[in-house]
Amino acid sequence: MSSIAEEDDHKLVALGYKPSFKREFSNLATISFAFSIMGLCSSIATTFNTPLLLGGPASVTWCWILGSCMCFTLGSSIAEIVSAFPTCGGLYTASAQLCPPSHRAVVGWIVGWLNILGQVAGLSSTEFGLANMIWAAVSITSPSFVLTPGKTVGLFAGLLVVHGLLNSLATRHLAFATKGFVFVNLGATVVIIIVLLATTPRSEMHAASYVFGSDGIVNQTGGWNNGIAFLLGLLSVQWTDYDATAHISEEVRRAAYAAPTAIFIAVIGTGLLGWLLNIVLILCSGPLENLPGPSGSAFLAIMALRMGTPAALFLWSFVCLTAFFVCQTALQACSRTVYAFSRDHGLPDGGYFGEVSRSTSTPLRAIWFTTILSILPGLLDLASPVAANAIFALTAMALDLSYIIPIFLRRLHANHPEVNFTPGPFYMGPGLLGWAANVMCISWTLFVCIIFSLPTVLPATPTNMNYASVITVGVVVLSGIWYIVSAHRHYHGPKSNLESSSHTLYDEKTDDKTDEDGKMRGSSDIA
């Protein structure tokens, strides 16, 4: 183990960073982390209403597998870069290294903010979805229950605090717990599929033309043509964080191998098993006019219809547990990104959040900063649900754009004398395969960003308007203005912290920031 850790640490030093974390994540824990962040049954549960109620059953079926195939090219392209740059900065760090030095600060700044805010919005929206999933179960058992914004936001904030506390554990405890996530995730999905098929009479299952064909295209958008209504189903499959595993690279053994492999396996597994779950849900769904039902969740309504309420709620608890794991891993990934950005002086905090706790060897400051920051979008729901949804809508577009920028830069500056891309163990090669995957994922991402920008229902009003594009462009513009006005003074792109050979730690009791030999830490540009 020590020789493997030393090899990983040498790779990290070569990238300009000294090791600050303990490498406790094994291959199993890393694969489990990658599956957990994608959610599978919980991700389908929280987004199932969108394709079903906009484009109809066929949109659910085909958009999932279509999006999964294209996301496979995205996942492969991301894995290739993560293998070359296994740092907790992930694609943020890679993007700055894949362009000429004169552009690194600007590129790193924009990609860093897109990635951080996309992750924060994703964590917040997922936690908000989990709160609604729990209240949906309550509404089924107690029909007289009245859900208020205060109850939803209160549960949402409480869950985030719980995840903050769990993420404050030492890395070895996080790694140990994470190993079991994948078994709950995959197990719950498989059991739901089997039970739905077993409890649905053959005579009540929908015909193939309803599940796969034109009978299943039911346009309920109020104005979009059938083609657009069908494509709105892509909003379900694209709603995930594909590079989250990269952000724990400095805590993973054999990171250059394990992290990209975990991404690759999780994208394939989630795509195929998720498609099967979607097909079975539609097959057993009953009359479309009865969905989403009193709970507001079509997924839960279908389970209750076929299994009965007690069995449905029992299995629903595991779906909620899977969503809980998504939030747990999302907070861990996001806090490492905040840590990396602060370490590079991308935040106006003087590197305060870019430190590792002496007691846990984890970035406690970044964890709690991320937790508090993620609570803020949910609080907006108390004042304006429209504003809260606008922030949540930032997730997919901001993250997807932050993914394709380094992929594009790698190809654009492939022959630049000042850009040195050294492939890692996961490499698709310089030939047609790598080029095809990169071009397809970039083209696809730009296409779905257009879909993400459309209002899902017509006519568009201030209440149902899709503000994703406005918010995303606003993030880029405001971050650009901030950089020009003041941030360029403290942020110069990814920074090396190799001046001291020991780990940078801080003591929570004294809040002193020192190296293990007692010297203060400095920083310089990564060569």
Side-chain angles (χ1 to χ4, degrees), residues 453-469:
S453 302
L454 300 176
T456 55
V457 177
L458 294 179
T461 66
T463 302
N464 64 28
M465 180 61 186
N466 185 346
Y467 295 98
S469 59

Side-chain angles (χ1 to χ4, degrees), residues 221-246:
T221 61
W224 289 117
N225 60 45
N226 287 347
I228 296 296
F230 176 84
L231 290 173
L232 288 173
L234 294 170
L235 294 172
S236 176
V237 68
Q238 293 290 142
W239 204 271
T240 191
D241 187 350
Y242 291 98
D243 82 324
T245 310

Side-chain angles (χ1 to χ4, degrees), residues 136-146:
V138 174
S139 68
I140 282 187
T141 57
S142 303
S144 60
F145 174 77
V146 177

Side-chain angles (χ1 to χ4, degrees), residues 23-187:
R23 296 186 182 272
E24 303 282 0
F25 276 74
S26 62
N27 290 342
L28 175 59
T30 307
I31 291 173
S32 182
F33 184 97
F35 267 102
S36 297
I37 194 68
M38 295 185 187
L40 192 51
C41 63
S42 63
S43 293
I44 292 175
T46 53
T47 60
F48 188 72
N49 284 10
T50 299
L52 180 67
L53 303 180
L54 293 177
S59 177
V60 174
T61 304
W62 288 114
C63 281
W64 182 273
I65 192 61
L66 172 62
S68 294
C69 289
M70 301 310 296
C71 287
F72 174 67
T73 67
L74 178 62
S76 301
S77 300
I78 290 173
E80 188 176 49
I81 293 177
V82 169
S83 184
F85 300 95
T87 76
C88 62
L91 297 186
Y92 147 68
T93 300
S95 64
Q97 297 301 312
L98 292 171
C99 64
S102 59
H103 300 154
R104 284 177 182 170
V106 174
V107 170
W109 178 261
I110 292 175
V111 173
W113 278 111
L114 279 174
N115 197 263
I116 287 175
L117 294 181
Q119 286 190 71
V120 168
L123 171 58
S124 186
S125 62
T126 304
E127 199 78 86
F128 206 84
L130 173 56
N132 280 317
M133 288 169 67
I134 294 172
W135 288 129
V138 174
S139 68
I140 282 187
T141 57
S142 303
S144 60
F145 174 77
V146 177
L147 180 61
T148 64
K151 293 176 182 177
T152 303
V153 172
L155 180 56
F156 153 82
L159 288 168
L160 265 172
V161 171
V162 170
H163 282 118
L165 292 171
L166 292 175
N167 266 281
S168 298
L169 298 174
T171 306
R172 66 180 181 277
H173 300 308
L174 293 175
F176 178 79
T178 303
K179 288 180 183 178
F181 292 177
V182 65
F183 298 107
V184 176
N185 195 343
L186 299 182

Side-chain angles (χ1 to χ4, degrees), residues 357-444:
S357 165
R358 185 183 302 275
S359 61
T360 64
S361 295
T362 58
L364 288 181
R365 294 174 181 173
I367 289 169
W368 284 101
F369 174 74
T370 304
T371 300
I372 295 170
L373 189 62
S374 299
I375 290 175
L376 298 181
L379 294 179
L380 283 175
D381 191 68
L382 295 174
S384 172
V386 175
N389 289 331
I391 300 298
F392 295 156
L394 171 69
T395 304
M397 187 177 293
L399 285 177
D400 282 356
L401 290 176
S402 74
Y403 299 156
I404 64 170
I405 290 174
I407 297 170
F408 173 75
L409 291 175
R410 181 172 104 66
R411 293 299 180 181
L412 179 65
H413 299 298
N415 299 316
H416 196 285
E418 294 180 291
V419 177
N420 181 26
F421 174 74
T422 303
F426 187 98
Y427 182 47
M428 291 184 286
L432 180 61
L433 177 62
W435 268 100
N438 293 165
V439 170
M440 288 176 68
C441 77
I442 291 172
S443 303
W444 175 255

Side-chain angles (χ1 to χ4, degrees), residues 185-463:
N185 195 343
L186 299 182
T189 304
V190 171
V191 169
I192 289 172
I193 290 172
I194 293 173
V195 174
L196 278 175
L197 291 174
T199 55
T200 304
R202 181 66 184 86
S203 59
E204 295 182 17
M205 290 184 180
H206 287 290
S209 59
Y210 182 83
V211 180
F212 300 103
S214 57
D215 290 348
I217 298 178
V218 182
N219 187 343
Q220 300 186 67
T221 61
W224 289 117
N225 60 45
N226 287 347
I228 296 296
F230 176 84
L231 290 173
L232 288 173
L234 294 170
L235 294 172
S236 176
V237 68
Q238 293 290 142
W239 204 271
T240 191
D241 187 350
Y242 291 98
D243 82 324
T245 310
H247 299 300
I248 64 165
S249 292
E250 294 181 32
E251 300 162 82
V252 172
R253 300 170 193 155
R254 301 177 74 247
Y257 294 87
T261 301
I263 294 172
F264 187 81
I265 293 173
V267 170
I268 295 176
T270 300
L272 293 177
L273 195 54
W275 190 38
L276 180 58
L277 176 59
N278 274 301
I279 290 173
V280 171
L281 283 168
I282 295 301
L283 192 66
C284 305
S285 61
L288 182 60
E289 58 269 21
N290 294 341
L291 299 174
S295 67
S297 169
F299 190 110
L300 179 56
I302 294 169
M303 289 173 61
L305 172 67
R306 297 308 179 188
M307 308 173 192
T309 299
L313 291 177
F314 176 74
L315 289 179
W316 186 249
S317 66
F318 288 95
V319 178
C320 292
L321 188 59
T322 302
F324 188 88
F325 295 157
V326 174
C327 298
Q328 173 70 13
T329 50
L331 178 54
Q332 184 178 349
C334 188
S335 65
R336 271 49 172 183
T337 313
V338 170
Y339 161 83
F341 204 44
S342 175
R343 179 176 64 180
D344 294 337
H345 299 285
L347 298 176
D349 64 338
Y352 180 80
F353 296 111
E355 305 297 340
V356 172
S357 165
R358 185 183 302 275
S359 61
T360 64
S361 295
T362 58
L364 288 181
R365 294 174 181 173
I367 289 169
W368 284 101
F369 174 74
T370 304
T371 300
I372 295 170
L373 189 62
S374 299
I375 290 175
L376 298 181
L379 294 179
L380 283 175
D381 191 68
L382 295 174
S384 172
V386 175
N389 289 331
I391 300 298
F392 295 156
L394 171 69
T395 304
M397 187 177 293
L399 285 177
D400 282 356
L401 290 176
S402 74
Y403 299 156
I404 64 170
I405 290 174
I407 297 170
F408 173 75
L409 291 175
R410 181 172 104 66
R411 293 299 180 181
L412 179 65
H413 299 298
N415 299 316
H416 196 285
E418 294 180 291
V419 177
N420 181 26
F421 174 74
T422 303
F426 187 98
Y427 182 47
M428 291 184 286
L432 180 61
L433 177 62
W435 268 100
N438 293 165
V439 170
M440 288 176 68
C441 77
I442 291 172
S443 303
W444 175 255
T445 301
L446 293 175
F447 169 72
V448 295
C449 281
I450 296 174
I451 302 299
F452 290 156
S453 302
L454 300 176
T456 55
V457 177
L458 294 179
T461 66
T463 302

